[in-house]
Amino acid sequence: MAYEDEYDDYEEELRSDRRRRLQLYLLIMLLACGIGLGVLWNRIVITVQSGEAGVLYRWLSGTELSRIYGEGLHIIWPWNKMNIYNVRLQTKERNYTMLTRDGLPVDLQIAVRYQPDVRLLPLLHVTVGPDYLEKIVFPETEAVLRRSVGQYTPEQVYTSKRGFLETVVVRSLTSVEDRYVIVDDVLVRNVELPAAVRLAIENKLTLSEQEKAYTYRLQIEQKEAERKVIEAEGIKKYQNIVKQSLTEDLLRWQGVQATKDLASSPNSKTVVIGSGKDGLPLILGSDR
């Protein structure tokens, strides 16, 4: 009996040891899983923020071309990778030094307003990648600018004549949109020429504006002279007409009428009756 009791105690001790080992293994596994989950959390739980879109790369099958991951929470396997793009309208600036038609350098500060085409985002990721701004937008814009600036003189670039900005915008849109990127606008923020060239152009523009002002003033003076000539001709014609209608009998009759009206007027008057050529009265003054 003693032997059986010792055997039972030994079996119980073995079972208890197995339970402790199993609990230890489970604890170690839970800790390992917790540590692994903590380390891989950012690769498993993916949050796509507002104004962003994601493209998933699967380790076994490559980039998923048929789906674009929108805003929200996404759970993926840790061996896959979510590539997130900013799909909002963005503006970036870049400085370029170009040569004009005359071979003179001109510094341009260019602002490009762009955004990736969300509908073609997987293709953009496969063909170009996240660095599409430096690989597509700026190089294409620079190429268009070099071709455009090379067709103009420094003055035309400086004053933006002949639709220079519009030409750059249209050509940039055509060149870049074929690469899965939408260019909303291309703006020339600043144009810098060599100091001597800039001063010469500014002096020329100043003289041109002064010439326009003088021309305008001459036109005004010419119009005023024409107006005075027309006015003088009208006065001359009026006087000739009046002169032709005035006769001695008419003047005498007008004098008689004036004397009659004066005599019948209730106001007090001082009148000298003389024996002039026509025998008409001379009015020296009147009082009320």
Side-chain angles (χ1 to χ4, degrees):
M1 293 293 297
Y3 177 76
E4 293 179 356
D5 291 338
E6 290 179 0
Y7 180 78
D8 292 338
D9 293 339
Y10 177 74
E11 289 290 336
E12 182 64 27
E13 185 177 353
L14 287 177
R15 286 194 294 270
S16 178
D17 185 57
R18 292 194 189 99
R19 285 196 297 270
R20 286 195 297 269
R21 289 183 179 181
L22 181 59
Q23 292 174 354
L24 180 62
Y25 292 153
L26 290 175
L27 180 60
I28 292 173
M29 291 179 63
L30 289 175
L31 288 175
C33 291
I35 294 173
L37 184 61
V39 172
L40 300 175
W41 177 266
N42 291 333
R43 295 186 60 89
I44 297 175
V45 181
I46 306 298
T47 301
V48 179
Q49 302 292 340
S50 178
E52 296 179 341
V55 177
L56 182 63
Y57 173 79
R58 297 182 182 277
W59 182 59
L60 296 177
S61 58
T63 302
E64 188 174 349
L65 301 177
S66 59
R67 180 180 177 184
I68 299 171
Y69 291 80
E71 303 172 1
L73 185 67
H74 303 279
I75 307 298
I76 64 174
W77 293 109
W79 49 81
N80 296 333
K81 182 181 179 181
M82 182 73 76
N83 300 276
I84 298 178
Y85 285 79
N86 186 346
V87 295
R88 287 175 174 168
L89 200 61
Q90 307 167 68
T91 301
K92 296 293 182 181
E93 294 185 358
R94 179 65 62 88
N95 295 324
Y96 298 102
T97 300
M98 310 282 179
L99 294 178
T100 62
R101 187 175 62 189
D102 301 331
L104 293 175
V106 54
D107 295 328
L108 300 177
Q109 184 182 12
I110 306 299
V112 181
R113 192 161 59 235
Y114 68 97
Q115 65 181 149
D117 192 341
V118 180
R119 301 166 300 177
L120 304 175
L121 197 59
L123 293 176
L124 174 65
H125 180 70
V126 171
T127 57
V128 182
D131 197 21
Y132 62 91
L133 180 64
E134 298 294 335
K135 293 181 179 179
I136 292 181
V137 178
F138 281 141
E140 291 287 348
T141 303
E142 180 180 4
V144 171
L145 282 171
R146 289 193 183 279
R147 290 194 298 269
S148 300
V149 172
Q151 299 175 4
Y152 295 91
T153 63
E155 180 181 354
Q156 291 168 341
V157 175
Y158 190 69
T159 56
S160 298
K161 289 183 178 179
R162 289 170 31 178
F164 170 70
L165 299 181
E166 291 77 6
T167 302
V168 171
V169 170
V170 171
R171 292 183 180 178
S172 297
L173 288 173
T174 304
S175 302
V176 178
E177 285 185 353
D178 295 338
R179 307 289 182 87
Y180 319 116
V181 180
I182 299 174
V183 176
D184 182 69
D185 205 354
V186 177
L187 305 175
V188 179
R189 292 283 179 84
N190 189 31
V191 178
E192 288 292 337
L193 296 173
V197 178
R198 187 181 70 253
L199 289 176
I201 292 175
E202 290 176 353
N203 290 334
K204 181 180 178 181
L205 293 176
T206 301
L207 293 174
S208 177
E209 292 301 322
Q210 290 179 354
E211 181 183 2
K212 292 178 181 178
Y214 289 144
T215 301
Y216 179 75
R217 290 171 59 182
L218 289 175
Q219 291 176 352
I220 294 297
E221 294 296 335
Q222 184 178 0
K223 294 295 183 182
E224 180 65 16
E226 293 175 358
R227 185 192 68 80
K228 290 182 178 180
V229 170
I230 295 173
E231 181 181 8
E233 290 178 352
I235 294 174
K236 182 179 179 181
K237 290 180 179 180
Y238 170 76
Q239 291 177 346
N240 291 333
I241 294 173
V242 172
K243 184 178 179 181
Q244 292 175 3
S245 63
L246 292 177
T247 62
E248 292 183 0
D249 294 338
L250 178 61
L251 291 175
R252 188 177 297 109
W253 181 80
Q254 291 288 347
V256 172
Q257 288 296 117
T259 303
K260 181 179 178 181
D261 293 339
L262 184 62
S264 61
S265 173
N267 299 326
S268 61
K269 298 162 285 294
T270 300
V271 181
V272 177
I273 305 298
S275 58
K277 179 180 179 181
D278 297 325
L280 297 177
L282 301 176
I283 302 173
L284 302 179
S286 63
D287 299 321
R288 289 188 178 274

